[in-house]
Amino acid sequence: MYFFRGSGQLSNGNDYFLFIDLHKEEDIKESINYHDEFISERIFQWQTPNSTAPSSERGKNIVFNQDRGIHLHLFIRKYKEIDGKTEPYIYIGKGNTVEYEGEKPITVTMELENEVPASLYTEFTKRV
């Protein structure tokens, strides 16, 4: 069992666990203000940490995850905190890289293995 605070990524063998905050704090440094967002109920865009290049082993495992047998598990939350309380991550399943560009960070477009339910998609994408 893993317990994890903050966004980022962990790996265990062929399983990569991606912990993603959709909305960053307003005072966050631009260098770590990643552009992570749902494109549709089935497509998600994620940016790797700034230290990840496509030529590194970790980068190759992410951008060629299917060919390399790597499972990308996505845990997402809309906000880190609401009213001073830390929000939990929601596991939305596995994704597979279908497109990528750039480096440090790499912008990855993933197709989710399962469509996010409409109500959850709306919750993640609507502006409050």
Side-chain angles (χ1 to χ4, degrees):
M1 176 60 90
Y2 286 98
F3 294 96
F4 187 72
R5 287 178 143 348
S7 58
Q9 66 184 47
L10 297 172
S11 59
N12 182 18
N14 286 355
D15 290 296
Y16 279 46
F17 304 94
L18 311 178
F19 294 87
I20 303 161
D21 293 334
L22 293 178
H23 295 279
K24 317 304 188 249
E25 290 107 28
E26 291 187 11
D27 60 349
I28 193 167
K29 291 188 329 195
E30 187 55 37
S31 64
I32 57 171
N33 189 12
Y34 302 113
H35 301 284
D36 305 323
E37 64 182 331
F38 281 94
I39 307 300
S40 72
E41 287 96 337
R42 195 84 188 230
I43 304 293
F44 187 77
Q45 176 185 291
W46 174 67
Q47 287 188 311
T48 66
N50 284 334
S51 58
T52 308
S55 57
S56 69
E57 275 308 299
R58 181 173 289 272
K60 289 176 187 174
N61 283 343
I62 291 168
V63 300
F64 303 116
N65 76 292
Q66 287 182 289
D67 293 342
R68 289 175 157 239
I70 302 295
H71 307 284
L72 304 175
H73 300 271
L74 283 77
F75 294 82
I76 298 178
R77 64 184 174 190
K78 189 170 184 176
Y79 299 104
K80 182 177 179 179
E81 290 184 354
I82 295 180
D83 296 330
K85 288 183 63 178
T86 301
E87 289 294 294
Y89 286 100
I90 297 172
Y91 180 64
I92 62 163
K94 291 192 282 183
N96 294 303
T97 301
V98 293
E99 195 175 288
Y100 71 95
E101 65 181 17
E103 61 178 79
K104 296 186 176 185
I106 307 167
T107 300
V108 178
T109 303
M110 286 185 231
E111 181 174 8
L112 305 176
E113 290 189 359
N114 297 294
E115 191 171 288
V116 175
S119 59
L120 189 55
Y121 176 75
T122 300
E123 178 62 32
F124 278 141
T125 58
K126 74 176 182 185
R127 293 274 179 204
V128 179

